[in-house]
Amino acid sequence: EGFGKKLLRHNDKMFPSFVSDLLKIKSLKTNADDTFVVAYPKSGTTWTEEIVWLIQNNLDLEKANSIAHTERVLFLDEVPMTKCDQISSPRVFKTHLTFDYLPENIETKSKLIYVMRNPKDMLVSYLHFVKWIKGFSFTGEFDLILNHFLQNKIIYGNWCEHVNQFYECPKVLFITYEDLVEEPFETIKKIACFLGKEMSDDQIWRLVDFTSFKNMKTNESFYFQEADQTKTQNQRDLFFRKGKIGDWVNYFDEKMSFSLEQKLKCELNPNIQIRYHFSN
Ligand code: A3P
């Protein structure tokens, strides 16, 4: 409902139609120096994968500025599997998929980092995303998006199950968007430690600065080669829209907040702390 174009369906889950080799991903050969950044869409995936890529590539800012982001970090859900063998190590992948679609024992063979964002802000970001991408042809408003979330009719399946699955896996580094916003230095340090990379305080601060919202929004490597300048501008606004905590207060009324929180109370692992920052 609300989507003009068909979504892909598999095992009761819906996926965007750009998902290509869904069932081939399981047989991808992984290496010890591969890193997978996993997140539910609109949770800070792009931000985290850029941080991870820079750590793995010894802060090669020049390369980060000059090579298209989509060539540096492969979007597992979208790229043909043959492309994965063509990029050099250490490889960095991003995905929104759950364990059942990912390569066998991925978390023990490679490094896996999961990013969670407070679901209220994630949904606001998601609304803008589905409205912008022409392939979705989405015409609804926020209440419809929230209903989809409550009924698990959103892409990539039940949000609570998505988060629980990775939170409960001891080999996964679990971070939050809110951690990155509020404590970027400490969070980047944690990621570097997890990846087994030594970084000086000075290097970490440089990375904090390079991956700030303002700097990422103006980094040319994020823009598809578009002849049409207005489209390029939109592209910027899609992946780097507001970059803030708490935009949800402009979309949720008390009843909507209640229904979302009720779902989380029933389905989310009770040890997972969500930081909304405001209340209604
Ligand atoms: P908003 O739409 O709330 O602004 P994803 O990469 O998973 O699609 O997530 C996109 C969200 O992360 C967008 O949220 C985007 O603005 C935000 N984001 C991207 N880079 C960021 C950065 N460097 N700092 C803060 N937020 C960032």
Side-chain angles (χ1 to χ4, degrees), residues 48-60 90 92 113 187-199 203-204 207:
T48 310
E49 75 209 26
E50 180 70 342
I51 291 169
V52 167
W53 187 89
L54 282 159
I55 295 174
Q56 293 291 53
N57 287 273
N58 307 315
L59 252 78
D60 193 339
V92 179
I113 299 172
T187 312
I188 288 179
K189 194 169 180 165
K190 209 188 223 179
I191 296 173
C193 267
F194 178 73
L195 296 175
K197 289 270 184 177
E198 288 267 343
M199 281 174 77
Q203 285 176 316
I204 299 177
L207 191 44

Side-chain angles (χ1 to χ4, degrees), residues 64-243:
N65 274 324
S66 56
I67 301 179
H69 182 78
T70 47
E71 296 296 316
R72 295 188 279 115
V73 177
L74 292 190
F75 186 19
L76 207 54
D77 315 13
E78 191 179 36
V79 297
M81 280 305 101
T82 45
K83 185 152 185 184
C84 300
D85 303 325
Q86 291 161 12
I87 61 161
S88 56
S89 288
R91 300 185 297 181
V92 179
F93 295 100
K94 76 185 275 186
T95 180
H96 302 307
L97 295 166
T98 42
F99 274 127
D100 36 338
Y101 293 96
L102 297 178
E104 224 55 70
N105 302 320
I106 184 178
E107 76 284 7
T108 44
K109 284 193 200 147
S110 313
K111 295 262 173 14
L112 208 151
I113 299 172
Y114 188 81
V115 199
M116 179 190 74
R117 185 181 194 182
N118 102 49
K120 293 184 183 176
D121 281 343
M122 178 279 287
L123 285 174
V124 171
S125 187
Y126 181 91
L127 171 74
H128 290 95
F129 184 75
V130 293
K131 280 197 148 191
W132 190 91
I133 300 254
K134 290 198 182 72
F136 285 128
S137 300
F138 185 78
T139 51
E141 290 306 328
F142 190 67
D143 53 345
L144 187 57
I145 289 289
L146 178 62
N147 274 340
H148 287 170
F149 176 88
L150 296 173
Q151 296 163 17
N152 308 323
K153 284 186 181 156
I154 47 173
I155 53 172
Y156 295 102
N158 182 340
W159 183 85
C160 294
E161 277 175 20
H162 203 284
V163 179
N164 286 348
Q165 211 180 61
F166 292 96
Y167 181 82
E168 286 160 12
C169 177
K171 295 273 182 199
V172 171
L173 175 69
F174 189 92
I175 60 165
T176 69
Y177 179 88
E178 291 72 30
D179 289 338
L180 273 171
V181 172
E182 296 189 315
E183 298 194 309
F185 181 93
E186 290 73 12
T187 312
I188 288 179
K189 194 169 180 165
K190 209 188 223 179
I191 296 173
C193 267
F194 178 73
L195 296 175
K197 289 270 184 177
E198 288 267 343
M199 281 174 77
S200 68
D201 284 5
D202 188 51
Q203 285 176 316
I204 299 177
W205 281 120
R206 268 176 49 214
L207 191 44
V208 170
D209 181 57
F210 191 81
T211 58
S212 71
F213 182 75
K214 196 173 110 254
N215 284 345
M216 280 182 70
K217 193 167 174 141
T218 49
N219 181 338
E220 292 299 322
S221 86
F222 283 97
Y223 305 110
F224 302 159
Q225 301 297 315
E226 290 277 8
D228 178 353
Q229 284 300 305
T230 55
K231 251 185 166 173
T232 313
Q233 181 58 36
N234 283 343
Q235 191 71 39
R236 272 168 213 240
D237 294 341
L238 179 68
F239 281 100
F240 308 100
R241 193 185 59 94
K242 277 200 168 177

